[in-house]
């Protein structure tokens, strides 16, 4: 699917994601707050040495319209909050849908 893309509730549910705002149109998907562009979806995923949640303000300043994270994370008003029990797995599934995950992988 080419970007921008409309993330509707059915697509989000397929990825194990719940939305605070219903459908969301995004121009980009990234887990690197330094790479966020206007209209982007920022995945605030916890890593080994840091937590993407700490970078939500930067992502929003750069134009993120939504944040994907685990539940219980504070997101600024006016920004769509997408939550998942397993946010890392949800990010992988969402990326697979957006960037057309192949049906078969040949190694």
């Amino acid at each position: 699917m080419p970007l921008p893309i409309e993330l509707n509730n059915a697509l989000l549910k397929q990825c194990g994601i719940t939305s605070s705002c219903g459908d969301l149109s995004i121009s980009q998907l990234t887990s690197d707050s330094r790479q966020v562009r206007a209209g982007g979806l920022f995945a605030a995923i916890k890593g080994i040495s840091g937590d993407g949640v700490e970078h939500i303000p930067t992502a929003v300043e750069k134009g993120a319209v939504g944040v994907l994270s685990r539940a219980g994370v504070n997101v600024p008003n006016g920004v769509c909050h997408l939550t998942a029990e397993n946010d890392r797995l949800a990010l992988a599934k969402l990326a697979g849908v957006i960037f057309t995950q192949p049906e078969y992988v040949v190694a």
Side-chain angles (χ1 to χ4, degrees):
M1 289 183 187
L3 295 171
I5 184 172
E6 186 75 21
L7 302 178
N8 61 44
N9 280 324
L11 186 145
L12 293 173
K13 186 175 181 180
Q14 173 185 335
C15 298
I17 299 170
T18 303
S19 173
S20 70
C21 63
D23 295 353
L24 178 67
S25 181
I26 62 167
S27 61
Q28 170 201 40
L29 173 63
T30 183
S31 60
D32 185 341
S33 63
R34 298 168 296 185
Q35 302 296 321
V36 173
R37 296 186 311 263
L41 175 62
F42 173 60
I45 307 297
K46 188 171 186 170
I48 295 171
S49 62
D51 192 340
V53 169
E54 298 166 5
H55 302 285
I56 291 173
T58 300
V60 171
E61 284 176 18
K62 293 183 126 203
V65 294
V67 172
L68 169 63
S69 71
R70 59 192 178 273
V73 170
N74 291 322
V75 172
N77 290 335
V79 177
C80 186
H81 191 193
L82 306 178
T83 58
E85 187 174 320
N86 183 336
D87 51 358
R88 185 175 304 278
L89 178 60
L91 172 60
K93 287 181 176 182
L94 185 58
V97 170
I98 291 173
F99 300 111
T100 316
Q101 179 176 339
E103 190 171 332
Y104 298 100
V105 177
V106 179

